[in-house]
Amino acid sequence: RMLGKWARAGRRGIFIVNAALMFEVGSSALYDKIICVWAPQETRVRRICKRDGLSRAEALRRIGAQMPLLKKCRMADYVVDNSGSLARTEAQVEKLYMDLKTQVKR
């Protein structure tokens, strides 16, 4: 609703929406560009367990309930590889942001 309100008001810019299930629920068409953040499954499992206090089995169930990440990456306009260092991920995001900024000016 907020994006629609801004669009009707003629506002332009980059709006980031965290929508992990956008492909599953069919809302991907609402967005001009889609960024998929990729990391190996073991990395994702470890991070989910740490972040949410889940067991390995619970984390795997959560991942298994979603569309496979590689399929999401193939459907995305951009992919950020989040398997390395924070500095490496930040560099990718900065490059992506600069690319998106040039598109907004068009």
Side-chain angles (χ1 to χ4, degrees):
R1 285 182 286 207
M2 184 174 284
L3 291 176
K5 180 180 174 183
W6 285 335
R8 287 187 296 279
R11 296 193 56 186
R12 295 179 52 93
I14 297 172
F15 303 95
I16 307 293
V17 178
N18 183 358
L21 300 175
M22 73 168 50
F23 293 118
E24 289 88 339
V25 300
S27 66
S28 61
L30 298 173
Y31 305 97
D32 294 326
K33 299 292 179 189
I34 296 175
I35 303 165
C36 185
V37 179
W38 180 89
Q41 181 167 305
E42 283 306 311
T43 302
R44 290 183 284 138
V45 167
R46 187 178 68 252
R47 289 174 179 171
I48 291 169
C49 290
K50 182 178 179 181
R51 182 191 69 210
D52 298 342
L54 299 179
S55 69
R56 177 178 171 71
E58 290 169 323
L60 286 169
R61 268 194 299 279
R62 184 179 285 183
I63 289 170
Q66 297 179 15
M67 178 185 294
L69 186 57
L70 289 177
K71 185 174 180 180
K72 290 181 183 184
C73 288
R74 285 193 300 271
M75 296 167 69
D77 299 292
Y78 299 94
V79 176
V80 173
D81 180 347
N82 190 23
S83 63
S85 69
L86 179 58
R88 183 171 157 226
T89 301
E90 286 175 339
Q92 291 174 75
V93 171
E94 181 67 27
K95 183 179 183 301
L96 172 56
Y97 174 69
M98 297 308 285
D99 184 47
L100 291 172
K101 271 181 53 174
T102 63
Q103 293 179 43
V104 169
K105 292 179 181 177
R106 291 182 196 161

